[in-house]
Structure formats: C-alpha cells, structure tokens
Amino acid sequence: MADAATSPDPDLVSALRALSNPVRLQLLLWLREPERHFPMDQAIADPAEVGVCVSHIQAKAGLAQSTVSAYLAELQRAGLVRATRVGKWTHYRRDEERIAGLLSQLGRTL
C-alpha cells in the first residue's frame, strides 16, 4: 500500500468512483445545462439557482425514482451535486466550484 504522502486523496477517489457509472455521469452532464435538458415550464424553482426536481430527472432518465435518487445521492456524497428541498420535492444542481477543484486536483495527481 502506498504511504500517505503519495496516496490519492479520498475525495478525488470518491468523485471518480461516482463518475465511473455511465448513468451517473449522464445525470451530471444533463445538470450542466438544465434549461436544455429539462422542461422549464414545469419547474417550480429556478433550475440554475436551485436545481432540477428529482421527478424531472427521473422522467428523462426513464428509471425508477428510487434508482435515480440513489444515483444522485452518490453524486452528492462525492461532492459533485448539491440538494435543495423545495416543499416536498428535492432539487439537484451541480457544485461547479467543487467540480473545478476536483478537476484541478486530478490534473496535479496524474
């Protein structure tokens, strides 16, 4: 096992693990341009500021709500998205600052 000085950062490993699933990666790509990928006329909050409702993400993905929620929870644990509650609905948006930091760290690591 590598020593602590040369071990990859656990946050970076977590992010790469989250992105290794093609569906999770697709969700993150859709959230990059929510106005292009999700119905704006049905949004109850500003998708750019608050995020996209799980029900809209689920409808686009064509997967069970529980599956989509699990995928988004993994992206959230990795710090790639942020969740915001609006009433009884949960909205997700990308954490652009965190993503930029992870990309920079990946560049320094590799």
Side-chain angles (χ1 to χ4, degrees):
M1 188 76 183
D3 63 45
T6 60
S7 294
D9 182 276
D11 290 340
L12 181 58
V13 171
S14 176
L16 291 172
R17 186 178 301 119
L19 294 173
S20 70
N21 177 290
V23 176
R24 288 191 296 256
L25 181 57
Q26 182 65 66
L27 297 178
L28 199 61
L29 291 172
W30 286 338
L31 290 173
R32 186 176 193 175
E33 297 178 285
E35 66 285 344
R36 180 175 169 208
H37 297 287
F38 299 100
M40 295 294 106
D41 60 328
Q42 298 173 10
I44 62 170
D46 180 3
E49 188 173 318
V50 178
V52 178
C53 182
V54 171
S55 63
H56 294 139
I57 298 170
Q58 182 265 326
K60 183 164 180 75
L63 299 169
Q65 187 272 333
S66 59
T67 302
V68 171
S69 290
Y71 284 158
L72 290 165
E74 180 69 23
L75 290 170
Q76 184 179 13
R77 281 190 297 275
L80 300 169
V81 298
R82 290 184 180 200
T84 303
R85 294 284 294 184
V86 177
K88 63 180 182 176
W89 296 278
T90 303
H91 291 67
Y92 287 90
R93 67 180 173 88
R94 291 166 50 111
D95 186 335
E96 297 296 347
E97 186 176 318
R98 176 91 167 122
I99 291 170
L102 288 167
L103 287 172
S104 176
Q105 185 178 8
L106 181 61
R108 290 189 309 271
T109 301
L110 296 180

XYZ file of all heavy atoms in Angstrom:
849
model
N 0.841 -1.189 0.000
C 0.000 0.000 0.000
C 0.881 1.246 0.000
O 1.907 1.297 0.667
C -0.905 -0.057 1.238
C -1.953 0.989 1.272
S -3.262 0.523 0.128
C -4.304 1.900 0.265
N 0.462 2.263 -0.715
C 1.237 3.499 -0.809
C 1.190 4.243 0.517
O 0.240 4.147 1.276
C 0.669 4.374 -1.922
N 2.254 5.015 0.789
C 2.251 5.800 2.019
C 1.323 7.003 1.858
O 0.903 7.345 0.762
C 3.663 6.219 2.426
C 4.335 7.135 1.408
O 3.674 8.068 0.933
O 5.516 6.915 1.105
N 0.998 7.660 2.965
C 0.030 8.754 2.967
C 0.446 9.906 2.050
O -0.405 10.578 1.480
C -0.188 9.256 4.389
N 1.740 10.139 1.913
C 2.217 11.257 1.092
C 1.944 11.033 -0.398
O 1.829 11.986 -1.151
C 3.707 11.479 1.325
N 1.862 9.786 -0.823
C 1.634 9.508 -2.242
C 0.284 8.861 -2.519
O -0.012 8.512 -3.647
C 2.744 8.594 -2.795
O 2.726 7.361 -2.066
C 4.098 9.259 -2.699
N -0.545 8.700 -1.495
C -1.873 8.118 -1.679
C -2.801 9.141 -2.319
O -2.735 10.323 -2.009
C -2.466 7.697 -0.337
O -1.718 6.649 0.218
N -3.683 8.673 -3.207
C -4.645 9.596 -3.800
C -5.600 10.137 -2.731
O -5.920 9.452 -1.766
C -5.403 8.764 -4.820
C -4.825 7.405 -4.796
C -3.803 7.336 -3.717
N -6.026 11.351 -2.913
C -6.965 11.982 -1.993
C -8.284 11.193 -1.982
O -8.829 10.901 -3.042
C -7.212 13.420 -2.442
C -8.138 14.145 -1.510
O -9.366 13.995 -1.675
O -7.646 14.859 -0.620
N -8.823 10.871 -0.816
C -10.075 10.105 -0.735
C -11.251 10.807 -1.412
O -12.119 10.136 -1.976
C -10.326 9.963 0.767
C -9.014 10.220 1.424
C -8.237 11.104 0.503
N -11.283 12.137 -1.383
C -12.369 12.872 -2.049
C -12.292 12.703 -3.561
O -13.313 12.560 -4.232
C -12.319 14.352 -1.692
C -12.692 14.619 -0.251
O -13.342 13.754 0.385
O -12.331 15.692 0.257
N -11.087 12.706 -4.096
C -10.903 12.511 -5.527
C -11.302 11.087 -5.922
O -11.986 10.881 -6.926
C -9.446 12.789 -5.923
C -9.103 12.662 -7.399
C -9.958 13.599 -8.251
C -7.623 12.937 -7.617
N -10.921 10.124 -5.117
C -11.287 8.726 -5.388
C -12.802 8.571 -5.361
O -13.387 7.912 -6.222
C -10.604 7.773 -4.376
C -11.137 6.357 -4.515
C -9.094 7.804 -4.561
N -13.455 9.200 -4.397
C -14.915 9.143 -4.293
C -15.583 9.740 -5.527
O -16.545 9.183 -6.063
C -15.362 9.879 -3.029
O -16.753 9.916 -2.933
N -15.073 10.870 -5.997
C -15.636 11.508 -7.189
C -15.444 10.634 -8.423
O -16.366 10.463 -9.221
C -14.998 12.876 -7.409
N -14.257 10.061 -8.565
C -14.001 9.200 -9.726
C -14.876 7.944 -9.677
O -15.371 7.488 -10.711
C -12.527 8.824 -9.790
C -11.587 9.980 -10.125
C -10.131 9.543 -9.979
C -11.858 10.510 -11.520
N -15.089 7.419 -8.491
C -15.961 6.247 -8.337
C -17.390 6.612 -8.751
O -18.056 5.852 -9.453
C -15.934 5.735 -6.901
C -16.702 4.449 -6.707
C -16.635 3.906 -5.295
N -15.258 3.650 -4.892
C -14.641 4.256 -3.864
N -15.277 5.131 -3.128
N -13.392 3.955 -3.575
N -17.865 7.770 -8.319
C -19.218 8.207 -8.672
C -19.359 8.383 -10.182
O -20.391 8.045 -10.763
C -19.566 9.502 -7.948
N -18.310 8.890 -10.817
C -18.356 9.134 -12.260
C -18.124 7.884 -13.101
O -18.307 7.913 -14.307
C -17.330 10.207 -12.629
C -17.619 11.586 -12.055
C -16.461 12.526 -12.332
C -18.922 12.140 -12.595
N -17.725 6.795 -12.453
C -17.458 5.566 -13.210
C -18.733 4.893 -13.706
O -18.673 4.040 -14.580
C -16.649 4.585 -12.356
O -17.448 4.060 -11.313
N -19.877 5.298 -13.185
C -21.153 4.755 -13.637
C -21.671 5.636 -14.769
O -21.829 6.846 -14.590
C -22.141 4.737 -12.464
C -23.505 4.249 -12.871
O -24.215 4.936 -13.598
N -23.876 3.081 -12.392
N -21.958 5.062 -15.941
C -22.368 5.886 -17.083
C -23.662 6.661 -16.850
O -23.816 7.771 -17.366
C -22.518 4.901 -18.240
C -22.285 3.551 -17.704
C -21.825 3.652 -16.295
N -24.587 6.121 -16.076
C -25.837 6.840 -15.823
C -25.590 8.032 -14.909
O -26.107 9.124 -15.150
C -26.921 5.903 -15.241
C -28.186 6.688 -14.891
C -27.238 4.785 -16.218
N -24.785 7.857 -13.882
C -24.463 8.983 -13.006
C -23.739 10.072 -13.789
O -24.005 11.264 -13.602
C -23.632 8.528 -11.803
C -24.454 7.724 -10.803
C -23.710 7.522 -9.507
N -22.506 6.746 -9.630
C -22.367 5.481 -9.252
N -23.377 4.822 -8.732
N -21.211 4.876 -9.384
N -22.837 9.684 -14.660
C -22.144 10.656 -15.497
C -23.140 11.389 -16.396
O -23.074 12.610 -16.550
C -21.056 9.971 -16.332
C -20.224 10.863 -17.245
C -19.542 11.978 -16.472
C -19.195 10.032 -17.988
N -24.102 10.657 -16.966
C -25.123 11.277 -17.813
C -25.956 12.283 -17.023
O -26.234 13.380 -17.507
C -26.042 10.211 -18.417
C -27.101 10.765 -19.347
C -26.505 11.383 -20.591
O -25.917 10.692 -21.402
N -26.639 12.687 -20.747
N -26.333 11.931 -15.798
C -27.108 12.852 -14.969
C -26.329 14.145 -14.742
O -26.894 15.236 -14.830
C -27.458 12.205 -13.623
C -28.342 10.961 -13.660
C -28.554 10.432 -12.245
C -29.652 11.216 -14.357
N -25.044 14.019 -14.462
C -24.208 15.195 -14.234
C -24.102 16.038 -15.509
O -24.121 17.273 -15.449
C -22.820 14.757 -13.752
C -21.987 15.818 -13.065
C -22.663 16.341 -11.812
C -20.620 15.272 -12.724
N -24.032 15.391 -16.664
C -23.986 16.121 -17.936
C -25.294 16.867 -18.191
O -25.284 18.023 -18.616
C -23.678 15.162 -19.091
C -22.274 14.566 -19.112
C -22.161 13.486 -20.176
C -21.236 15.644 -19.326
N -26.424 16.221 -17.923
C -27.715 16.895 -18.097
C -27.822 18.109 -17.183
O -28.337 19.145 -17.576
C -28.865 15.944 -17.801
C -29.118 14.903 -18.852
C -28.749 14.942 -20.169
C -29.799 13.667 -18.668
N -29.161 13.796 -20.808
C -29.818 12.998 -19.911
C -30.394 13.053 -17.581
C -30.422 11.762 -20.093
C -30.993 11.821 -17.756
C -31.004 11.171 -19.003
N -27.351 17.973 -15.952
C -27.450 19.068 -14.992
C -26.524 20.235 -15.346
O -26.689 21.331 -14.815
C -27.148 18.563 -13.574
C -28.217 17.649 -12.975
C -27.750 17.078 -11.648
C -29.539 18.380 -12.820
N -25.598 20.010 -16.239
C -24.718 21.101 -16.679
C -25.513 22.170 -17.423
O -25.205 23.366 -17.332
C -23.616 20.544 -17.564
C -22.593 21.571 -17.945
C -21.484 20.942 -18.731
N -20.370 21.869 -18.832
C -19.228 21.574 -19.371
N -19.013 20.367 -19.859
N -18.273 22.461 -19.440
N -26.515 21.735 -18.196
C -27.373 22.650 -18.947
C -28.836 22.282 -18.702
O -29.496 21.730 -19.577
C -27.074 22.567 -20.438
C -25.677 22.981 -20.832
C -25.465 22.815 -22.323
O -25.300 21.672 -22.778
O -25.497 23.858 -23.013
N -29.351 22.581 -17.507
C -30.711 22.142 -17.178
C -31.785 22.708 -18.106
O -32.754 22.020 -18.432
C -30.916 22.618 -15.741
C -29.898 23.666 -15.521
C -28.747 23.338 -16.423
N -31.596 23.946 -18.562
C -32.592 24.554 -19.438
C -32.685 23.845 -20.782
O -33.710 23.919 -21.456
C -32.293 26.055 -19.637
C -31.018 26.372 -20.388
C -29.714 26.170 -19.598
O -29.760 26.069 -18.359
O -28.642 26.103 -20.242
N -31.658 23.157 -21.170
C -31.636 22.426 -22.443
C -32.224 21.023 -22.309
O -32.786 20.495 -23.269
C -30.190 22.340 -22.930
C -30.023 21.626 -24.225
C -28.590 21.702 -24.698
N -28.409 20.789 -25.809
C -27.273 20.218 -26.122
N -26.200 20.484 -25.418
N -27.185 19.406 -27.131
N -32.108 20.438 -21.131
C -32.467 19.029 -20.962
C -33.745 18.756 -20.184
O -34.226 17.626 -20.172
C -31.305 18.295 -20.291
C -30.068 18.288 -21.121
N -29.932 17.507 -22.248
C -28.928 19.004 -21.023
C -28.747 17.728 -22.795
N -28.119 18.636 -22.070
N -34.295 19.777 -19.519
C -35.466 19.556 -18.686
C -36.538 20.589 -19.004
O -36.221 21.711 -19.412
C -35.082 19.619 -17.199
C -34.088 18.568 -16.816
C -32.738 18.883 -16.711
C -34.478 17.262 -16.595
C -31.801 17.913 -16.374
C -33.553 16.281 -16.262
C -32.214 16.611 -16.156
N -37.812 20.235 -18.797
C -38.909 21.165 -19.116
C -38.941 22.345 -18.153
O -39.196 22.188 -16.965
C -40.167 20.293 -18.965
C -39.760 19.191 -18.038
C -38.290 18.966 -18.270
N -38.672 23.523 -18.660
C -38.637 24.723 -17.827
C -40.043 25.178 -17.436
O -40.233 25.777 -16.383
C -37.915 25.865 -18.549
C -36.435 25.610 -18.798
S -35.465 25.513 -17.279
C -35.174 23.761 -17.184
N -41.027 24.892 -18.278
C -42.386 25.334 -17.986
C -43.002 24.576 -16.810
O -43.979 25.021 -16.229
C -43.268 25.204 -19.231
C -43.355 23.780 -19.753
O -42.370 23.025 -19.618
O -44.408 23.430 -20.312
N -42.416 23.451 -16.425
C -42.930 22.659 -15.310
C -42.113 22.847 -14.037
O -42.441 22.284 -13.003
C -42.943 21.177 -15.687
C -43.834 20.863 -16.861
C -43.685 19.419 -17.322
O -43.059 18.609 -16.665
N -44.275 19.117 -18.469
N -41.071 23.631 -14.099
C -40.193 23.822 -12.940
C -40.892 24.664 -11.879
O -41.549 25.653 -12.193
C -38.894 24.487 -13.374
N -40.743 24.267 -10.608
C -41.316 25.044 -9.513
C -40.271 25.964 -8.882
O -40.590 26.745 -8.000
C -41.961 24.144 -8.444
C -40.922 23.232 -7.801
C -43.110 23.360 -9.024
C -41.423 22.491 -6.580
N -39.038 25.839 -9.314
C -37.938 26.680 -8.828
C -36.973 26.901 -9.984
O -36.990 26.164 -10.969
C -37.231 25.998 -7.656
N -36.126 27.901 -9.858
C -35.142 28.216 -10.894
C -34.113 27.092 -10.979
O -33.350 26.878 -10.033
C -34.460 29.533 -10.562
C -33.420 29.949 -11.588
O -33.248 29.240 -12.614
O -32.763 30.973 -11.378
N -34.077 26.343 -12.089
C -33.138 25.218 -12.213
C -31.674 25.622 -12.103
O -30.862 24.857 -11.599
C -33.444 24.646 -13.596
C -34.815 25.097 -13.903
C -34.959 26.437 -13.230
N -31.335 26.821 -12.550
C -29.936 27.260 -12.483
C -29.530 27.578 -11.047
O -28.393 27.332 -10.653
C -29.720 28.474 -13.381
N -30.458 28.113 -10.267
C -30.137 28.519 -8.902
C -30.423 27.423 -7.877
O -29.628 27.184 -6.977
C -30.929 29.772 -8.535
C -30.509 30.371 -7.209
C -31.200 31.690 -6.958
O -31.313 32.497 -7.887
O -31.624 31.901 -5.811
N -31.566 26.748 -8.003
C -31.996 25.755 -7.019
C -31.710 24.330 -7.490
O -31.334 23.475 -6.706
C -33.495 25.923 -6.696
C -33.973 24.873 -5.717
C -33.772 27.316 -6.165
N -31.881 24.093 -8.775
C -31.639 22.769 -9.327
C -32.871 22.212 -10.013
O -33.884 22.879 -10.154
N -32.756 20.969 -10.426
C -33.817 20.274 -11.156
C -34.468 19.276 -10.207
O -33.783 18.555 -9.476
C -33.239 19.550 -12.394
C -34.316 18.776 -13.133
C -32.567 20.552 -13.325
N -35.780 19.220 -10.243
C -36.541 18.313 -9.390
C -36.230 16.854 -9.766
O -36.109 16.518 -10.947
C -38.033 18.590 -9.551
S -39.067 17.574 -8.494
N -36.141 16.020 -8.759
C -35.859 14.596 -8.991
C -36.882 13.986 -9.942
O -36.535 13.157 -10.781
C -35.832 13.814 -7.657
C -35.772 12.317 -7.899
C -34.663 14.247 -6.809
N -38.139 14.399 -9.843
C -39.167 13.810 -10.712
C -38.891 14.106 -12.183
O -39.143 13.256 -13.045
C -40.560 14.294 -10.317
O -40.677 15.687 -10.480
N -38.338 15.290 -12.490
C -37.998 15.606 -13.881
C -36.782 14.807 -14.341
O -36.722 14.363 -15.491
C -37.741 17.105 -14.047
C -38.969 17.933 -13.832
N -38.946 19.119 -13.143
C -40.263 17.734 -14.179
C -40.167 19.626 -13.091
N -40.983 18.796 -13.709
N -35.820 14.646 -13.455
C -34.632 13.843 -13.781
C -35.046 12.395 -14.011
O -34.624 11.753 -14.972
C -33.573 13.949 -12.661
C -33.106 15.407 -12.511
C -32.394 13.019 -12.944
C -32.253 15.667 -11.282
N -35.900 11.888 -13.146
C -36.380 10.509 -13.246
C -37.123 10.285 -14.564
O -36.912 9.284 -15.245
C -37.282 10.198 -12.043
C -37.804 8.785 -11.997
C -39.177 8.637 -12.611
O -40.012 9.530 -12.526
N -39.393 7.519 -13.256
N -37.986 11.241 -14.932
C -38.745 11.106 -16.175
C -37.815 11.068 -17.389
O -38.004 10.263 -18.301
C -39.746 12.259 -16.303
N -36.799 11.915 -17.390
C -35.862 11.945 -18.518
C -35.019 10.674 -18.568
O -34.768 10.127 -19.641
C -34.954 13.168 -18.452
C -34.001 13.263 -19.654
C -33.426 14.633 -19.766
C -32.481 14.764 -20.938
N -33.129 14.835 -22.227
N -34.593 10.199 -17.408
C -33.747 9.006 -17.356
C -34.534 7.730 -17.666
O -33.957 6.737 -18.119
C -33.086 8.891 -15.989
N -35.826 7.751 -17.399
C -36.639 6.566 -17.644
C -36.339 5.433 -16.670
O -36.518 4.265 -17.000
N -35.896 5.790 -15.490
C -35.560 4.806 -14.460
C -36.483 4.998 -13.266
O -37.133 6.030 -13.132
C -34.108 4.977 -14.019
C -33.045 4.790 -15.093
C -31.686 5.238 -14.582
C -33.005 3.339 -15.542
N -36.508 4.025 -12.390
C -37.307 4.127 -11.174
C -36.814 5.295 -10.333
O -35.615 5.598 -10.312
C -37.225 2.828 -10.378
N -37.744 5.933 -9.627
C -37.395 7.072 -8.779
C -36.355 6.682 -7.749
O -35.421 7.436 -7.485
C -38.661 7.624 -8.116
C -38.438 8.911 -7.345
C -38.018 8.684 -5.908
O -38.340 7.671 -5.301
N -37.260 9.617 -5.370
N -36.468 5.488 -7.186
C -35.504 5.053 -6.173
C -34.102 4.902 -6.759
O -33.107 5.230 -6.100
C -35.959 3.743 -5.525
O -36.085 2.726 -6.502
N -34.015 4.452 -7.987
C -32.718 4.295 -8.648
C -32.086 5.659 -8.905
O -30.903 5.878 -8.614
C -32.873 3.529 -9.980
O -33.456 2.255 -9.704
C -31.547 3.347 -10.687
N -32.882 6.590 -9.426
C -32.379 7.935 -9.702
C -31.952 8.609 -8.398
O -30.893 9.242 -8.332
C -33.431 8.772 -10.460
C -33.014 10.224 -10.569
C -33.662 8.182 -11.848
N -32.746 8.454 -7.348
C -32.393 9.045 -6.056
C -31.093 8.465 -5.520
O -30.264 9.188 -4.970
C -33.524 8.826 -5.051
O -34.642 9.617 -5.396
N -30.897 7.168 -5.694
C -29.646 6.538 -5.239
C -28.456 7.060 -6.040
O -27.390 7.332 -5.470
C -29.742 5.018 -5.359
N -28.627 7.225 -7.337
C -27.544 7.760 -8.168
C -27.205 9.196 -7.764
O -26.033 9.563 -7.650
C -27.924 7.728 -9.648
C -27.855 6.366 -10.292
C -28.580 6.096 -11.440
C -27.070 5.342 -9.780
C -28.527 4.861 -12.063
C -27.009 4.105 -10.390
C -27.738 3.860 -11.524
O -27.677 2.640 -12.138
N -28.230 10.008 -7.534
C -27.996 11.391 -7.138
C -27.377 11.474 -5.748
O -26.527 12.334 -5.498
C -29.300 12.182 -7.209
C -29.803 12.440 -8.636
C -31.253 12.895 -8.623
C -28.924 13.444 -9.347
N -27.769 10.579 -4.858
C -27.171 10.556 -3.520
C -25.685 10.229 -3.601
O -24.873 10.814 -2.869
C -27.901 9.535 -2.639
N -25.317 9.343 -4.501
C -23.897 9.009 -4.684
C -23.130 10.217 -5.222
O -22.027 10.521 -4.768
C -23.753 7.820 -5.632
C -22.326 7.391 -5.886
C -21.636 6.770 -4.678
O -22.324 6.269 -3.776
O -20.394 6.790 -4.647
N -23.716 10.934 -6.171
C -23.081 12.141 -6.696
C -22.972 13.212 -5.601
O -21.977 13.926 -5.533
C -23.872 12.688 -7.891
C -23.823 11.856 -9.171
C -24.829 12.380 -10.193
C -22.420 11.829 -9.754
N -23.972 13.278 -4.737
C -23.935 14.244 -3.639
C -22.855 13.875 -2.626
O -22.099 14.739 -2.179
C -25.300 14.324 -2.957
C -25.362 15.376 -1.879
C -26.720 15.463 -1.219
O -27.577 14.601 -1.383
N -26.923 16.528 -0.463
N -22.751 12.601 -2.272
C -21.707 12.174 -1.337
C -20.318 12.469 -1.886
O -19.390 12.770 -1.139
C -21.840 10.678 -1.027
C -22.915 10.345 -0.021
C -22.845 8.909 0.436
N -23.069 7.945 -0.631
C -24.259 7.532 -1.044
N -25.358 7.996 -0.486
N -24.365 6.654 -2.019
N -20.183 12.408 -3.204
C -18.898 12.693 -3.844
C -18.660 14.198 -3.986
O -17.593 14.610 -4.436
C -18.843 12.020 -5.217
N -19.649 15.006 -3.620
C -19.492 16.452 -3.690
C -19.693 17.038 -5.074
O -19.305 18.178 -5.324
N -20.311 16.297 -5.969
C -20.483 16.763 -7.340
C -21.792 17.510 -7.552
O -21.913 18.297 -8.490
C -20.380 15.587 -8.307
C -19.033 14.847 -8.260
C -19.116 13.544 -9.035
C -17.926 15.732 -8.791
N -22.790 17.240 -6.711
C -24.068 17.934 -6.787
C -24.488 18.361 -5.387
O -24.009 17.810 -4.385
C -25.193 17.080 -7.430
C -24.862 16.709 -8.866
C -25.501 15.850 -6.603
N -25.400 19.328 -5.353
C -25.987 19.795 -4.093
C -27.488 19.589 -4.167
O -28.094 19.792 -5.219
C -25.708 21.276 -3.879
C -24.267 21.572 -3.595
C -24.099 23.023 -3.300
N -22.690 23.292 -3.033
C -22.273 24.345 -2.391
N -23.139 25.241 -1.949
N -20.998 24.531 -2.190
N -28.064 19.208 -3.052
C -29.506 19.007 -2.967
C -30.151 20.154 -2.206
O -29.590 20.647 -1.226
C -29.808 17.688 -2.264
N -31.315 20.570 -2.674
C -32.097 21.611 -2.015
C -33.546 21.159 -1.971
O -34.094 20.741 -3.004
C -32.012 22.953 -2.787
O -30.645 23.335 -2.909
C -32.791 24.049 -2.091
N -34.155 21.238 -0.800
C -35.566 20.896 -0.658
C -36.413 22.124 -0.971
O -36.139 23.218 -0.502
C -35.871 20.434 0.760
C -35.220 19.140 1.167
C -35.855 17.934 0.595
N -37.212 17.756 1.107
C -37.967 16.724 0.815
N -37.517 15.767 0.046
N -39.179 16.629 1.298
N -37.442 21.908 -1.778
C -38.441 22.936 -2.064
C -39.783 22.263 -1.797
O -40.244 21.450 -2.603
C -38.363 23.443 -3.522
C -39.461 24.466 -3.787
C -36.996 24.026 -3.824
N -40.351 22.561 -0.635
C -41.571 21.861 -0.237
C -41.256 20.391 -0.032
O -40.310 20.034 0.665
N -42.019 19.537 -0.683
C -41.772 18.094 -0.543
C -40.849 17.537 -1.628
O -40.578 16.349 -1.673
C -43.098 17.333 -0.536
C -43.894 17.436 -1.809
C -45.184 16.652 -1.715
C -45.953 16.718 -3.016
N -47.149 15.890 -2.987
N -40.348 18.411 -2.490
C -39.503 17.975 -3.593
C -38.037 18.298 -3.344
O -37.696 19.332 -2.776
C -39.942 18.645 -4.902
C -41.311 18.233 -5.315
C -41.671 17.102 -5.980
C -42.526 18.956 -5.077
N -43.033 17.074 -6.173
C -43.586 18.199 -5.623
C -42.821 20.160 -4.452
C -44.908 18.604 -5.571
C -44.140 20.575 -4.388
C -45.159 19.793 -4.944
N -37.184 17.415 -3.818
C -35.742 17.643 -3.736
C -35.229 18.003 -5.124
O -35.560 17.340 -6.103
C -35.008 16.394 -3.211
O -35.547 16.050 -1.942
C -33.520 16.653 -3.079
N -34.452 19.067 -5.179
C -33.856 19.548 -6.421
C -32.342 19.371 -6.341
O -31.749 19.548 -5.283
C -34.185 21.026 -6.634
C -35.625 21.280 -6.934
N -36.630 21.066 -6.023
C -36.220 21.730 -8.047
C -37.786 21.380 -6.568
N -37.564 21.787 -7.804
N -31.735 19.069 -7.478
C -30.286 18.878 -7.542
C -29.682 19.805 -8.574
O -30.253 20.033 -9.642
C -29.952 17.430 -7.914
C -30.196 16.468 -6.793
C -31.425 15.850 -6.630
C -29.185 16.167 -5.883
C -31.656 14.963 -5.590
C -29.407 15.285 -4.842
C -30.637 14.690 -4.700
O -30.864 13.827 -3.664
N -28.505 20.330 -8.220
C -27.722 21.122 -9.173
C -26.253 20.766 -8.978
O -25.844 20.292 -7.918
C -27.959 22.620 -9.014
C -27.450 23.201 -7.733
C -27.736 24.703 -7.678
N -27.403 25.242 -6.392
C -26.219 25.702 -6.034
N -25.226 25.709 -6.904
N -25.999 26.164 -4.832
N -25.487 20.993 -10.004
C -24.048 20.722 -9.943
C -23.368 21.683 -8.978
O -23.759 22.832 -8.863
C -23.434 20.886 -11.334
C -23.848 19.819 -12.318
C -23.508 20.212 -13.746
N -22.156 20.666 -13.940
C -21.218 20.001 -14.611
N -21.497 18.854 -15.168
N -20.014 20.500 -14.751
N -22.331 21.209 -8.327
C -21.492 22.071 -7.494
C -20.271 22.413 -8.343
O -19.252 21.707 -8.317
C -21.094 21.352 -6.205
C -20.353 22.256 -5.240
O -19.739 23.251 -5.691
O -20.365 21.960 -4.038
N -20.398 23.478 -9.123
C -19.366 23.833 -10.103
C -18.021 24.136 -9.445
O -16.973 23.776 -9.990
C -19.821 25.008 -10.967
C -21.047 24.722 -11.823
C -20.842 23.651 -12.885
O -19.685 23.255 -13.161
O -21.853 23.187 -13.445
N -18.047 24.788 -8.300
C -16.794 25.106 -7.610
C -16.076 23.821 -7.187
O -14.865 23.683 -7.372
C -17.084 25.980 -6.394
C -15.847 26.478 -5.694
C -16.181 27.412 -4.547
O -17.076 28.255 -4.706
O -15.532 27.289 -3.494
N -16.815 22.896 -6.650
C -16.244 21.619 -6.209
C -15.728 20.809 -7.408
O -14.661 20.222 -7.355
C -17.296 20.830 -5.447
C -16.858 19.474 -5.033
C -16.247 19.521 -3.658
N -16.123 18.164 -3.187
C -14.984 17.625 -2.835
N -13.883 18.344 -2.847
N -14.919 16.385 -2.428
N -16.494 20.799 -8.496
C -16.080 20.075 -9.701
C -14.777 20.658 -10.241
O -13.846 19.921 -10.582
C -17.197 20.095 -10.766
C -18.380 19.223 -10.298
C -16.675 19.609 -12.123
C -19.628 19.367 -11.155
N -14.685 21.986 -10.289
C -13.465 22.637 -10.770
C -12.275 22.273 -9.875
O -11.174 21.998 -10.365
C -13.654 24.143 -10.824
N -12.489 22.254 -8.573
C -11.422 21.884 -7.646
C -10.961 20.450 -7.836
O -9.761 20.162 -7.804
N -11.919 19.549 -8.051
C -11.568 18.146 -8.274
C -10.815 17.965 -9.588
O -9.862 17.178 -9.661
C -12.819 17.268 -8.239
C -13.438 17.083 -6.862
C -14.840 16.481 -6.978
C -12.554 16.211 -5.976
N -11.228 18.695 -10.625
C -10.517 18.611 -11.903
C -9.083 19.115 -11.769
O -8.152 18.511 -12.316
C -11.261 19.402 -12.985
C -12.551 18.777 -13.488
C -13.287 19.739 -14.406
C -12.260 17.466 -14.197
N -8.915 20.188 -11.038
C -7.576 20.725 -10.799
C -6.735 19.717 -10.016
O -5.564 19.474 -10.348
C -7.691 22.047 -10.043
O -6.422 22.532 -9.715
N -7.335 19.154 -9.008
C -6.623 18.152 -8.195
C -6.266 16.919 -9.020
O -5.171 16.382 -8.890
C -7.498 17.755 -7.012
C -6.820 16.814 -6.054
C -7.717 16.496 -4.877
O -8.879 16.840 -4.832
N -7.147 15.811 -3.919
N -7.171 16.491 -9.901
C -6.891 15.348 -10.765
C -5.691 15.655 -11.673
O -4.810 14.822 -11.849
C -8.121 15.004 -11.612
C -7.981 13.822 -12.544
C -7.693 12.537 -11.784
C -9.239 13.666 -13.388
N -5.659 16.878 -12.203
C -4.522 17.281 -13.039
C -3.189 17.248 -12.281
O -2.166 16.820 -12.819
N -3.225 17.672 -11.032
C -1.990 17.641 -10.219
C -1.619 16.224 -9.824
O -0.442 15.910 -9.687
C -2.174 18.496 -8.953
C -2.237 19.985 -9.205
C -2.209 20.784 -7.897
N -3.179 20.352 -6.927
C -4.434 20.803 -6.833
N -4.856 21.695 -7.700
N -5.237 20.369 -5.891
N -2.614 15.367 -9.641
C -2.361 13.998 -9.194
C -1.795 13.140 -10.320
O -0.870 12.355 -10.100
C -3.657 13.358 -8.664
O -4.146 14.143 -7.581
C -3.430 11.939 -8.195
N -2.346 13.304 -11.515
C -1.881 12.492 -12.630
C -0.706 13.144 -13.308
O 0.043 12.595 -14.002
C -3.016 12.267 -13.635
C -4.198 11.471 -13.113
C -5.245 11.334 -14.225
C -3.777 10.091 -12.653
